[in-house]
Amino acid sequence: MNKAKLNNKSHNIMVAQKKIAGVLGATGSVGQRFILLLAEHPSFELRVLGASPRSAGKKYIDAVNWKQTDLLPTMAEDIIVTECKSEFFKDCDIVFSGLDADYAGAIEKEFVEAGLAVVSNAKNYRREEDVPLLVPIVNPEHLDIVSNKLEKAKSEGKSKPGFIVCISNCSTAGLVAPLKPLVEKFGPIDALTTTTLQAISGAGFSPGVPGIDILDNIIPYIGGEEDKMEWETKKILGSIAEDKTHIKLLTPEEIKVSAQCNRVAVSDGHTECISLRFKNRPAPSVDAVKQCLRDYVCDAFKLGCHSAPKQTIHVLEQNDRPQPRLDRNRDAGYGVSVGRIREDPVLDFKMVVLSHNTIIGAAGAGVLIAEILLARNMI
Amino acid sequence: MNKAKLNNKSHNIMVAQKKIAGVLGATGSVGQRFILLLAEHPSFELRVLGASPRSAGKKYIDAVNWKQTDLLPTMAEDIIVTECKSEFFKDCDIVFSGLDADYAGAIEKEFVEAGLAVVSNAKNYRREEDVPLLVPIVNPEHLDIVSNKLEKAKSEGKSKPGFIVCISNCSTAGLVAPLKPLVEKFGPIDALTTTTLQAISGAGFSPGVPGIDILDNIIPYIGGEEDKMEWETKKILGSIAEDKTHIKLLTPEEIKVSAQCNRVAVSDGHTECISLRFKNRPAPSVDAVKQCLRDYVCDAFKLGCHSAPKQTIHVLEQNDRPQPRLDRNRDAGYGVSVGRIREDPVLDFKMVVLSHNTIIGAAGAGVLIAEILLARNMI
Amino acid sequence: MNKAKLNNKSHNIMVAQKKIAGVLGATGSVGQRFILLLAEHPSFELRVLGASPRSAGKKYIDAVNWKQTDLLPTMAEDIIVTECKSEFFKDCDIVFSGLDADYAGAIEKEFVEAGLAVVSNAKNYRREEDVPLLVPIVNPEHLDIVSNKLEKAKSEGKSKPGFIVCISNCSTAGLVAPLKPLVEKFGPIDALTTTTLQAISGAGFSPGVPGIDILDNIIPYIGGEEDKMEWETKKILGSIAEDKTHIKLLTPEEIKVSAQCNRVAVSDGHTECISLRFKNRPAPSVDAVKQCLRDYVCDAFKLGCHSAPKQTIHVLEQNDRPQPRLDRNRDAGYGVSVGRIREDPVLDFKMVVLSHNTIIGAAGAGVLIAEILLARNMI
Amino acid sequence: MNKAKLNNKSHNIMVAQKKIAGVLGATGSVGQRFILLLAEHPSFELRVLGASPRSAGKKYIDAVNWKQTDLLPTMAEDIIVTECKSEFFKDCDIVFSGLDADYAGAIEKEFVEAGLAVVSNAKNYRREEDVPLLVPIVNPEHLDIVSNKLEKAKSEGKSKPGFIVCISNCSTAGLVAPLKPLVEKFGPIDALTTTTLQAISGAGFSPGVPGIDILDNIIPYIGGEEDKMEWETKKILGSIAEDKTHIKLLTPEEIKVSAQCNRVAVSDGHTECISLRFKNRPAPSVDAVKQCLRDYVCDAFKLGCHSAPKQTIHVLEQNDRPQPRLDRNRDAGYGVSVGRIREDPVLDFKMVVLSHNTIIGAAGAGVLIAEILLARNMI
């Protein structure tokens, strides 16, 4: 919490520049996280909270069943919840969506058509080829598709178009974080396997994972998750088409991805046991892999984004790390921890990756995406 | 518990034939499990309990800190604990060792030299080439090395030699169970990866895994475990040398094995996410793999062993199974459950395997090994 | 599991005498437990399974989301689920109800009016003064109200009337078990406090307690539970009115009861920290209290009921017992464990009581009640 | 974290005034917490870390098995660990002791004799009548015994004597926090019962509570804890003798206290279900009790102590609060939460109290005590 960085003068300037933010699905698990992260944000002023018609008209404190370990921010308590219609969000520079997939499709479409900028945690538009699917510490350059669209509209004298940027699936975020610098340095990855041990907060809480299912137990299945991880990885590591209108996915020939997903009795923090093989021979050394990960500085940090991790990837040397309870909060949950990097008898390397599923894997990613949009003058 | 199978007559015969059994390390985690399994066993009579000098001379009930969810069997309560010296076990037909590795080496050696038959859960002699390393539902034929030795001594007019049979590592047992029928039917496996989610009972309880380390947490490391899994798999799937004096391990060229081991908040039951590729092309179909596993009947069952699972491998079709809490007790913990069998984009197949780490992975395996020894007239 | 007790001859006789049983709410948490307990019961033959219209018409195995740690009994798999109407249960000698309170009121009423004998786990009729509220190891004599009604109808030449017997709340069962013998021996209790640590299985599983609420957490509240405990204790320890038509509750002047209820991360087994003060002075000694509890033999056992605990109350002497994981299964969950009996600086005594909430606190109690009804020729 | 409060000027002044601090038992559970709390403390400069001879001579980062969820502070990493001898701490204005009771007795005595000021978490000197036993949000006035001693020495021209202040047992802290304002407003408490549900972090971690003992389980016993709670409450609520040389305990006639202590699967935060009866009749209303607790402002806050909670007692109105996961961090763990305040059929009132066992119940209390000592010019 580096709130003390700014002196009074710059603070006042910041206040003057604050962008108006709204949250869709504000009473849900992801929505609550957005509110926590935005409540005292230096660049955003949280002003509009949208939820179901049942909640609309109530004070937020009366509408929400607050379940975060941090207390409900005072500033949000008395905001009157609105319905999720663009008319109530028309003053917003940025809208964060924590809507369930059942609702996100129609609502987010209406918001974009109304000219709003939406950063969404829902899965509905992730596979649209002209929608960036972003892990903000990994592929912010995919936002070029949006900036291209904005510039084109501007040059044509049109009003600023609405757009949507999708946050990746939570378990995908942890997977691709170490891949990005490795691919940049050592060339393409031929094959990639991951077995996940995922936290229950990723399932939300209405009802989420039943206690009786997770106490003294593991659930070796999360609906749709393995397909998401395998597909999203190919988009996030893919490249922007030459005409800057869409993303070209990696083909199965370019990368083979296999995921096995498990739910475990952990509150926050997804652990992934990853193996990978590079296309190029010989493969780099373990030390070279470690150094590459340590040296990686994400663009969001270079852009000076408030939430960007100082150390994007923490390479841990102790045998028994990373552990969710001990390492999930590195860099306030925006940093990813990688441990046990070693040679793999089947592929080239294996390693354990830990990422905070509700920060870099969900709401936190959304906020950092918005910071990048702001730094790039896209909002 | 099929104790009712026998009528009074056969029961009396059985009693007459009961073999005398002893337990080394009787107060420890594995020792307690041996006692539970032997207390009412139709073929073994538990008579000698060995533990540390500190416990020797006490009644078992006073020496032990009983931690099993089943109550301490009455028959064991008043047995006076002895030291772990062969002289006290000389009447035993079979000795089960639950000793810690720190003590097992010297003590088990002394027992074998004294002519005793030892089934050990310790790791000390697993890598001796003339010691069978057994998962009793997988490779009981490796006992031929011992029977060969016994026959040879007999033909030479020597007294019956002592011998040792080692129980495999707990996580290895679950891994190799489905491999055996697959290899028999579809030929050798080229590559094999497993990521384990292991129960804390596998770590014993003095002190075992600290509560603060496992509550809301995962430990992505178990000392020595990955190496054990990778090495033991090569021995268990290996073959008996022509002269029947030792086991020939599979070479790294014959099979590549890669393990990643994690400790999770589960009391009993190791879950493993496995991927494998066969050497032969084309690979079999998913249905053929399932059928092969379903059809497998382990030799111990064919031999009529009391504890042998009626169904060696349970192929589960529900998406979210196997789960430790729901499936670990199939066939009283001697059966292995396999679910989510599906194609793997990187290797050929992936699946989830669940085995009961203290039954088929430890003490239970020891008892079933002894039943096989008995059925084969080796004790 | 003493299923082997009977020889073939008596077994045949038993089969001939088996009473037909039905289960209402068969797909729910309590219903599943009823099925487990009835599947191989020597006196009851499970024949009818009732559930919601959504499930009616399906095979049970297809209708249920089975969540028990014991496997679904084969005999129940193919039973076609019916709706919860008495016409489908008309051949039943006894009907066990695991219905939710939302449905139990109307359905159970219809069943009783149709002349059926119902043992219900629902709370709806517990407070009717002519309905026995039973903990079968505590107050089976309250069934006299029902037998009186049956005899009256018989003497009047009327057809056998339907009736209902209610199972107590799960946490009440553990509380009153040790109180009964103490009151019988030492006279009335003046004041009683209990703080409970209740298992999550008590909340059922649709959805029951959310995982995120119970992992690394306690919920110091269970809706309605404290009032139930305080009220039900007064009924269960109350006496039958002289005319045998209803139960007279203890008055607040006769006993003061105070409960504080908590939900904790335990799968099965309610722990209660109890304090109590007798009305009579001087209070008995700690040793006398222990002896009284040890000596208690419940009437159900004297009647020879199949499920009755051999030892009703287990008095544990180790400081750190009872523990749910180690002690909940004593006497197959029908026995209650009491430990740490000691003097209390505020009231007279304090102690820790553990009872299995789904056995003696719910479905198991229902089955034992039916066994008592059978032994008393009431069904 | 209000580190931003100070401008540069006052910051420099503070630095100039910083008191030198040392920590005994620095590698242990409590020691690690002291280091976390002192690392960036505005008034203390952590300079000396004492541990066992085995650790002495090593850098702290190499000596410690860091197990906190917050990262090891950089400033502590390279401090060379010393043995626990006063000669190494002679420059310390204040020494915090997290020593085990096995070592604390002799070491702390030597430190006091060497003229050092010691704030200890160990139990060894808690029952000395001239040693204040402090819950800093409750009875800081008991420090008068020490200030009296210091003034006396000064007036006699002697050098400043060493002294010790003891931190209360962790579960006692939560218990007495709400009692203090109640007693001040409504007069003495006649009887008090508490049943605790205590977190495992209170047991330290070498080895602390074994995982197998706490997963799906409760341990209804913590050695010595109930006696500590019953005794310490009488001292903390006791008064200073007229000659200001010792504390007069409340007598059993003045207050009856009964505790039942349980260990549960919670990482941090002790929950207590409390009942109490006042001596004065009529008892106050529930609303009056709530208001009294809400209005309480601890002296440490009035003194301006850095760590003192802004709201000492949080009265929560939701039925299902306080919960450890949601409420333990109120006021950074220095605030105590009280919920479910209601009438009690046996005593007068019952309520649920939650306090952070490692903050206000251990290391955090020590730091706040030191802040009070500083504010009172006693160090």
Side-chain angles (χ1 to χ4, degrees), chain D residues 80-96:
Chain D
I80 303 298
V81 176
T82 70
E83 288 193 55
C84 293
K85 294 179 179 169
S86 65
E87 60 191 285
F88 303 119
F89 291 73
K90 62 181 190 296
D91 294 335
C92 290
D93 297 296
I94 184 81
V95 176
F96 299 92

Side-chain angles (χ1 to χ4, degrees), chain A residues 190-208:
Chain A
D190 173 52
L192 171 65
T193 69
T194 180
T195 298
T196 69
L197 297 84
Q198 297 185 223
I200 56 178
S201 60
F205 40 70
S206 43

Side-chain angles (χ1 to χ4, degrees), chain B residues 291-331:
Chain B
Q291 197 56 47
C292 166
L293 295 177
R294 269 195 208 98
D295 290 346
Y296 180 61
V297 182
C298 67
D299 288 347
F301 185 78
K302 293 176 192 162
L303 284 168
C305 293
H306 172 75
S307 305
K310 193 178 165 189
Q311 180 73 35
T312 308
I313 295 175
H314 297 258
V315 175
L316 307 182
E317 292 288 355
Q318 298 113 297
N319 259 336
D320 61 352
R321 301 290 278 269
Q323 292 179 21
R325 206 176 68 86
L326 302 180
D327 298 302
R328 61 190 164 206
N329 290 323
R330 287 179 184 270
D331 282 274

Side-chain angles (χ1 to χ4, degrees), chain C residues 216-218, chain D residues 33 170-171 196-202 262-272 323-325 327-329 353-360:
Chain C
D216 188 14
N217 205 20
I218 286 159
Chain D
R33 287 280 185 173
C170 51
S171 52
T196 69
L197 297 82
Q198 297 185 223
I200 55 178
S201 60
N262 301 281
R263 190 74 73 187
V264 297
V266 166
S267 63
D268 289 313
H270 287 355
T271 303
E272 306 189 32
Q323 294 179 19
R325 206 177 67 87
D327 297 304
R328 61 191 165 205
N329 290 324
V353 178
L354 175 74
S355 59
H356 197 303
N357 56 300
T358 74
I359 306 296
I360 195 59

Side-chain angles (χ1 to χ4, degrees), chain C residues 216-217 226 258 267 340 344, chain D residues 216 226 258 267 323 340 344:
Chain C
D216 188 14
N217 205 20
E226 296 175 353
S258 175
S267 63
R340 307 203 68 221
D344 177 25
Chain D
D216 189 14
E226 297 175 353
S258 175
S267 63
Q323 294 179 19
R340 307 204 66 221
D344 177 26

